[in-house]
Amino acid sequence: MLYGTSDAEPQTEIVVSQLAHELYSTNLLLLLIQNLNRIDFEGKKDVAQIFNNVLRRQIGTRSPTVEYICTKPEILFTLMAGYEHQEIALNCGTMLRECARYEALAKIMLHSDEFFNFFRYVEVSTFDIASDAFSTFKELLTRHKILCAEFLEQNYDKVFNHYEHLLNSENYVTRRQSLKLLGELLLDRHNFTVMTKYISNPDNLKLMMNMLKEKSRNIQFEAFHVFKVFVANPNKPKPILDILLRNQEKLVDFLTRFHTDRSEDEQFNDEKAYLIKQIKELKPAPDQ
């Protein structure tokens, strides 16, 4: 009915509208998701395809399925909990990322206790599930800029306490992805308040300086993009300035020798030269 077949076109909008109404009135979307583990492999993919198709359906500027799910947030929480179950995790991820495209649904997910389970899901031992969970996690934290900035400001301590565990994870992929996302979040102008708070904390600076010395060059490189925000800040708090001054010579020496083989990466080399210049010119703050 939704997609048609090789012999027939999809049904008219009136028939699809009746189908959608039945899906809502019988609570069938939630029932399908709750019983996803009982459906065979191809059937699971069909459920995700039907769900995403109905979700995208519009009447003028309205999205009736989005409006319906706003009244039944249990649908979202059941999908989020899908990451707990290996056999349905990826199907639930496909549906969650489609939901995350709609600000009203992203808001419900971000402001739920269930959101904080993502910090666990992105570290599960099954690589494809952890990667899928990270894709959804990133989508929720970056797609709707103003919503995300407000969420991070309102929940700063809780989010970044959890985030620190990801940066210290024993899983290399988790650490690298988390560090890369942190750099993106701090450099997004919508997150200026969050960035200012993050780069005012000396513990965060120490963590980045340690990550610059990691064995993995990829982690070093991502740490550089967070470290540069601390150095470029024109209004460094005294504890930050003190750490940079204490390590001034070491940092200049270290950065001079840092990733010298990236000779063709102009932006990186410009940024590195800028940081070295900034660090060389650091002076103690005048006594107030």
Side-chain angles (χ1 to χ4, degrees):
M1 289 173 77
L2 292 171
Y3 291 95
T5 63
S6 56
D7 306 320
E9 290 292 310
Q11 292 289 341
T12 62
E13 178 54 38
I14 294 169
V15 177
V16 173
S17 180
Q18 288 173 332
L19 172 67
H21 181 72
E22 289 300 316
L23 284 174
Y24 309 152
S25 63
T26 57
N27 223 8
L28 187 58
L29 287 178
L30 181 59
L31 283 168
L32 282 170
I33 295 161
Q34 286 173 332
N35 292 282
L36 203 54
N37 60 327
R38 300 180 180 189
I39 300 171
D40 67 19
F41 179 76
E42 288 301 322
K44 288 185 179 76
K45 292 200 291 191
D46 290 339
V47 169
Q49 196 174 9
I50 291 165
F51 181 92
N52 288 352
N53 182 293
V54 174
L55 189 64
R56 292 183 198 120
R57 192 174 148 262
Q58 284 192 291
I59 300 174
T61 57
R62 284 180 52 228
S63 298
T65 307
V66 173
E67 292 170 10
Y68 167 72
I69 294 174
C70 284
T71 69
K72 297 269 184 194
E74 191 184 349
I75 290 172
L76 297 172
F77 304 146
T78 306
L79 284 173
M80 291 160 91
Y83 281 119
E84 308 269 0
H85 307 285
Q86 192 164 344
E87 68 281 8
I88 61 169
L90 301 183
N91 307 100
C92 289
T94 301
M95 292 183 268
L96 277 172
R97 283 188 295 284
E98 194 64 38
C99 291
R101 293 176 55 206
Y102 299 92
E103 189 166 347
L105 302 183
K107 185 173 185 177
I108 292 169
M109 290 190 271
L110 279 174
H111 288 277
S112 68
D113 290 338
E114 286 82 356
F115 170 76
F116 287 89
N117 293 332
F118 273 101
F119 288 96
R120 190 159 45 82
Y121 299 153
V122 300
E123 287 211 84
V124 296
S125 56
T126 311
F127 175 76
D128 54 348
I129 295 175
S131 294
D132 194 277
F134 197 90
S135 297
T136 308
F137 177 67
K138 180 178 178 179
E139 186 75 0
L140 285 169
L141 284 175
T142 56
R143 178 172 271 271
H144 306 283
K145 302 296 188 187
I146 294 170
L147 170 68
C148 297
E150 286 172 353
F151 167 73
L152 291 171
E153 285 172 38
Q154 290 164 13
N155 299 276
Y156 180 90
D157 290 338
K158 188 175 182 184
V159 169
F160 284 96
N161 282 341
H162 278 80
Y163 211 103
E164 190 174 339
H165 290 295
L166 298 185
L167 295 173
N168 288 308
S169 169
E170 293 185 3
N171 182 319
Y172 163 76
V173 177
T174 301
R175 277 185 27 250
R176 184 183 170 189
Q177 286 184 319
S178 306
L179 192 53
K180 187 171 171 43
L181 176 57
L182 175 64
E184 289 173 26
L185 290 172
L186 296 182
L187 290 167
D188 188 315
R189 62 186 177 81
H190 295 88
N191 296 330
F192 181 80
T193 306
V194 170
M195 179 268 285
T196 305
K197 194 165 184 178
Y198 190 87
I199 63 170
S200 299
N201 184 330
D203 290 334
N204 295 336
L205 174 58
K206 289 174 194 168
L207 177 62
M208 286 311 130
M209 286 168 67
N210 285 329
M211 292 184 104
L212 280 171
K213 298 185 291 185
E214 283 269 347
K215 282 184 195 152
S216 158
R217 285 173 55 81
N218 288 322
I219 285 182
Q220 292 172 3
F221 187 65
E222 298 304 343
F224 173 85
H225 288 298
V226 178
F227 173 73
K228 71 186 181 190
V229 189
F230 287 90
V231 178
N233 178 12
N235 303 307
K236 298 175 189 64
K238 187 173 185 301
I240 299 291
L241 185 59
D242 288 348
I243 291 170
L244 294 173
L245 282 167
R246 266 203 311 275
N247 295 277
Q248 193 170 24
E249 281 184 33
K250 284 184 196 165
L251 280 168
V252 169
D253 185 48
F254 176 83
L255 287 170
T256 304
R257 292 181 286 110
F258 184 73
H259 289 221
T260 48
D261 55 339
R262 290 185 188 269
S263 54
E264 292 180 14
D265 186 338
E266 276 186 44
Q267 185 179 347
F268 167 72
N269 285 299
D270 289 349
E271 288 176 351
K272 194 173 90 160
Y274 172 77
L275 289 197
I276 292 169
K277 180 174 180 288
Q278 289 293 309
I279 293 168
K280 278 182 177 173
E281 293 174 0
L282 284 175
K283 303 258 187 317
D287 293 330
Q288 297 299 316

